[in-house]
């Protein structure tokens, strides 16, 4: 690798992290995918189609918004990158449109995907509908029961939802099942992974499909202020919105911060290992078994982290801090009441970081990626705050 967040070589390594740890039977598929992506990503026709689709369909560019009342509260100049305004309500649309266009270019007619909370499943079903592809989404049985509205959305969009009954019947099992089923259908099927994780080329490819966040934000910030921001902050589940954001600023002096949930901090509390085709940090027990992450935000419940974040952490280019569920609930309310924006619980981790680190960022400029909107979380938030039963707030 030549520069930070540049193109990895064929081994797909970010320092010691990443790689391509897949069974022999999947090797041809990931090699074919890497070749197709390398070729497409330097083809102006493909880039043009991707950009045009993001503009006409997904609502890009999203705004970079100076949050004045929030800024006054935290004592810093806070600019929000509004991925919550993208179609389907989060940054996930950027990645699925890229992968669906690539799948079609490769002659595939079918997408499969894993999903935990259902957000990536809904995004994949959306992109499949847009391009006339079939979609099948693997989802742990436990998550199917927990996220019935998203299951309905996927079905309404024409996707098949396959409940996964192995293991703990949650996200990590859905990933395993999706990989297994891919082997049996390589000819016509593309596996659409939802974050910067999995075997090479996924961590790189998904970061590239998400770098539109950082590239836009950088242009927008420079236009407004004339020089780069002091800080750039984003929440980290698998790490795709953060990776896409960081990619736009990694060659500036901006300090990069990834915010993990305290109950799912793969960098903060994980150990090195090889899971889901990649070397990275994972929450594991004393026997090396992968533990489940537990966070109020289902979208941050992945027990690992993308390998490039493991690398950026190890070399010290980005810093990773943790935020608790209680801090997240405070932050959702703070943003709602200062700016009239109800953000996703995932995104609220980044807002909570501003509150927690007020002294450090005093007077500085901060770009915060607001990865998604909070409609999907209204019930969770209401239950935790007790707003539903007339407690004086309602
Ligand atoms: C899925 C999701 C995340 C977490 O995914 P990353 O790959 O870490 O970006 C964050 N925010 C929202 C709104 C999501 O839907």
């Amino acid at each position: 690798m030549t520069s930070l967040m540049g193109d990895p070589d064929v081994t797909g390594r970010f320092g010691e992290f990443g790689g391509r740890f897949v069974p022999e039977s999947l090797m041809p598929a990931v090699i074919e995918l890497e070749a197709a992506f390398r070729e497409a990503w330097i083809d102006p026709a493909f880039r043009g189609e991707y950009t045009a689709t993001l503009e006409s369909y997904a609502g890009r560019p999203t705004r970079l918004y100076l949050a004045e009342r929030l800024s006054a509260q935290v004592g810093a100049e806070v600019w929000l990158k509004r991925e919550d305004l993208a179609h389907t309500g989060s940054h996930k649309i950027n990645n699925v449109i890229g992968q669906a266009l690539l799948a079609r270019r490769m002659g595939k007619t079918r997408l499969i995907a894993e999903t935990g909370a259902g957000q990536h499943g809904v995004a994949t079903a959306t992109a499949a509908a847009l391009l006339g592809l079939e979609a099948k989404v693997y989802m742990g049985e436990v998550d199917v029961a927990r996220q019935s509205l998203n299951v309905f959305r996927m079905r309404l969009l024409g996707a098949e939802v396959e409940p996964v009954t192995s293991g703990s019947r949650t996200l990590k099992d859905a990933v395993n099942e999706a990989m297994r089923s891919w082997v049996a259908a390589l000819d016509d099927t593309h596996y659409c992974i939802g974050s910067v994780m999995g075997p090479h080329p996924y961590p790189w490819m998904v970061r590239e499909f998400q770098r539109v966040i950082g590239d836009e934000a950088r242009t927008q910030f420079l236009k407004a202020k004339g020089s780069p921001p002091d800080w750039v902050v984003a929440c980290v589940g698998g790490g795709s919105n953060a990776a896409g954001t960081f990619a736009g600023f990694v060659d500036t002096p901006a300090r990069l911060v990834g915010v993990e949930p305290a109950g799912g901090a793969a960098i903060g509390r994980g150990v090195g290992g090889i899971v889901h085709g990649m070397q990275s940090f994972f929450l594991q027990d004393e026997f090396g078994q992968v533990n489940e992450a537990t966070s109020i935000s289902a979208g941050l419940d992945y027990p690992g982290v993308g390998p490039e974040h493991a690398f950026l952490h190890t070399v010290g280019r980005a810093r990773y801090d943790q935020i608790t569920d209680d801090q997240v609930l405070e932050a959702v309310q703070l943003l709602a009441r200062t700016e009239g924006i109800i953000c996703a619980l995932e995104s609220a981790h980044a807002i909570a970081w501003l509150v927690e680190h007020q002294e450090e960022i005093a007077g500085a400029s901060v770009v915060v990626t607001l990865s998604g909107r909070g409609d999907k979380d209204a019930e969770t938030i209401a239950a935790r705050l007790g707003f539903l039963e007339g407690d004086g707030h309602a």
Side-chain angles (χ1 to χ4, degrees), residues 58-59 67 97 108 162 228 289 310 330 336 353 367 386:
I97 284 181
K108 313 282 183 188
E162 172 90 15
Q289 295 282 44
E330 288 295 323
W353 185 91
V367 167

Side-chain angles (χ1 to χ4, degrees), residues 37-49:
F37 175 66
R38 260 186 211 285
E39 184 208 30
W41 205 228
I42 54 170
D43 177 356
F46 181 82
R47 289 289 275 251
E49 190 179 30

Side-chain angles (χ1 to χ4, degrees), residues 60 83 86 89-95 210 213 240-241 371-372:
R60 304 211 71 90
E83 294 303 293
S90 86
H91 67 292
K92 287 194 168 71
I93 194 75
N94 307 325
N95 171 43
Q210 291 292 4
I213 305 172
S240 68
N241 85 88
S371 55

Side-chain angles (χ1 to χ4, degrees), residues 134-296:
E134 269 180 64
K136 181 165 179 175
V137 179
Y138 293 85
M139 187 170 188
E141 204 175 38
V142 171
D143 292 328
V144 169
R146 277 199 291 227
Q147 306 287 341
S148 54
L149 186 56
N150 274 340
V151 173
F152 173 72
R153 284 192 180 110
M154 287 182 258
R155 291 183 171 144
L156 185 60
L157 289 159
E160 186 187 342
V161 179
E162 172 90 15
V164 173
T165 55
S166 56
S168 56
R169 295 172 292 145
T170 57
L171 177 58
K172 69 180 167 60
D173 312 291
V175 175
N176 290 331
E177 198 56 41
M179 283 196 180
R180 253 197 298 276
S181 78
W182 194 25
V183 175
L186 293 177
D187 280 354
D188 65 350
T189 301
H190 170 70
Y191 177 18
C192 185
I193 291 187
S195 191
V196 284
M197 48 159 281
H200 178 57
Y202 285 101
W204 167 48
M205 178 174 72
V206 176
R207 179 249 280 166
E208 288 300 290
F209 285 142
Q210 291 292 4
R211 74 177 304 134
V212 63
I213 305 172
D215 287 346
E216 281 177 12
R218 177 200 183 112
T219 304
Q220 290 164 326
F221 193 90
L222 287 177
K223 188 170 174 218
K225 301 289 292 182
S227 60
D230 300 312
W231 297 83
V232 172
V233 183
C235 66
V236 174
S240 68
N241 85 88
T245 303
F246 292 176
F249 295 96
V250 71
D251 63 350
T252 76
R255 274 169 282 187
L256 310 178
V257 181
V259 187
E260 298 191 295
I267 291 183
R269 300 177 181 200
V271 287
I274 297 173
V275 179
H276 294 150
M278 61 177 171
Q279 171 137 10
S280 192
F281 292 121
F282 300 88
L283 301 176
Q284 296 171 63
D285 67 16
E286 60 198 296
F287 306 109
Q289 295 282 44
V290 176
N291 282 337
E292 246 183 276
T294 52
S295 155
I296 188 174

Side-chain angles (χ1 to χ4, degrees), residues 4 310-318:
L4 278 176
F311 176 70
L312 291 172
H313 164 71
T314 304
V315 298
R317 178 60 187 95

